[in-house]
Every structure is written in structure tokens, then in C-alpha cells.
Amino acid sequence: MLGRKAQVLAAAVRVLGGQGTRALTHRAVDSEGGLPAGTTSNYFRSRDALLSGILGYLLEQETSAFASLAGAPRPVSVDELAARLGALLRELAGPARTLTLARHAIFLEAAHRESLRVELLTWSETLWAWGGEWLTALGSREPVAHVRQVLAFADGLLMDRLARGGEGEFAPEEPLAALLGALLEG
């Protein structure tokens, strides 16, 4: 995504991730992006259209991140997969924190908006397929079910870190490895 529309969406993510859904207005996005008044409205006429645009933008960002992970050599052990997922979660909780908070806000909106839920599910199926390939290579007999459980657990660890903070380093590898080990043994 290039140009002014991408500027609008990047600003919208900063508003949503930095201030929450109540702060997300066309005016706030224009202000955050240093854009002329009415720019956001020109691209996204309604709040629903803006939310859909943000979801598309977030999915594009995440697809790029997961595609680079999926294109990497498959992990050969539970510990290696847990290490990769742990590194990703640290990135999402740290440098990409605002993007992650915006993602979670959009996910909550999807619970109430069918159009967002459909788009999110379509993208999720791609992610589950990628993860399922890795889990199959590690011996999973139910790769899609297992990847959904791992990602839900990872999202829980991430949300806990974002909402509650925490002392010291964020080290999700050990609980991830424990879950992966249990799933693959079962």
C-alpha cells in the first residue's frame, strides 16, 4: 500500500493502538497523520470503512512478518519453534507494541462486526495452514487444531504482557515449549 492512503492507515493504527477504539475518529487520524482535515473521510467514509481499512492494513503487515517466518527453514525441534515464537512475541510486545494493541482492538471489534470477522477468519486460515505445516514436520497428528491452540496461547501471553506489564525480561519460550511438547506427545 503506497501513498496517502497508507499514511492515513498508519496514522489510524497509531491512534487505535495508542489511545484505543474510543479515540478513533476521522479527525483524530487526520491530526495524528499531520493530514489536511477531511483526508481520512475521503478514503474511508464511515467508521466501519475505516475499521475495515485498518484490519486490511494490519493483516498486510502481519502477512509480511509471517511470510518471512514461513519462508525460513522449518524448525527441527520444539525448542527451536518456541524460540522463534518467543522472539516474535517479544517484538510484538516491544517495538511493535502499538501495532499489536491496534490488532487486539480490531479483533475485539470483529466480535461485533460480521464483515471484520469474515476477513479475519479468511486470513487466519492462511496462518493456520503455515503453522500447521511446521507442526506436521514436528510430528503433530492434528496440526491445524494444534496451531490454533498455540496461537491462542501465544496471544494470551502477549495480551498479559501488554495489559499487565511485568518485571524483567519477557521470556515466553519456556511456556510455549511446554505447550508444544504436550500437544505433540498427546
Side-chain angles (χ1 to χ4, degrees), residues 75-86 134-135 138 150 176 180:
V76 296
S77 70
V78 164
D79 288 337
E80 184 181 345
L81 179 54
R84 287 189 196 180
L85 290 174
W134 281 11
L135 291 181
L138 292 176
V150 169
L176 285 165
L180 285 163

Side-chain angles (χ1 to χ4, degrees), residues 77-140:
S77 70
V78 164
D79 288 337
E80 184 181 345
L81 179 54
R84 287 189 196 180
L85 290 174
L88 177 62
L89 292 182
R90 269 192 300 286
E91 172 72 19
L92 293 172
R97 183 178 196 278
T98 300
L99 187 77
T100 302
L101 289 169
R103 174 181 165 266
H104 281 274
I106 287 287
F107 279 27
L108 290 174
E109 286 290 324
H112 304 286
R113 299 174 193 271
E114 180 69 22
S115 62
L116 293 177
R117 192 169 37 254
V118 168
E119 191 173 349
L120 181 59
L121 181 58
T122 299
W123 177 81
S124 295
E125 289 171 349
T126 300
L127 179 60
W128 298 333
W130 284 341
E133 290 175 18
W134 281 11
L135 291 181
T136 296
L138 292 176
S140 173

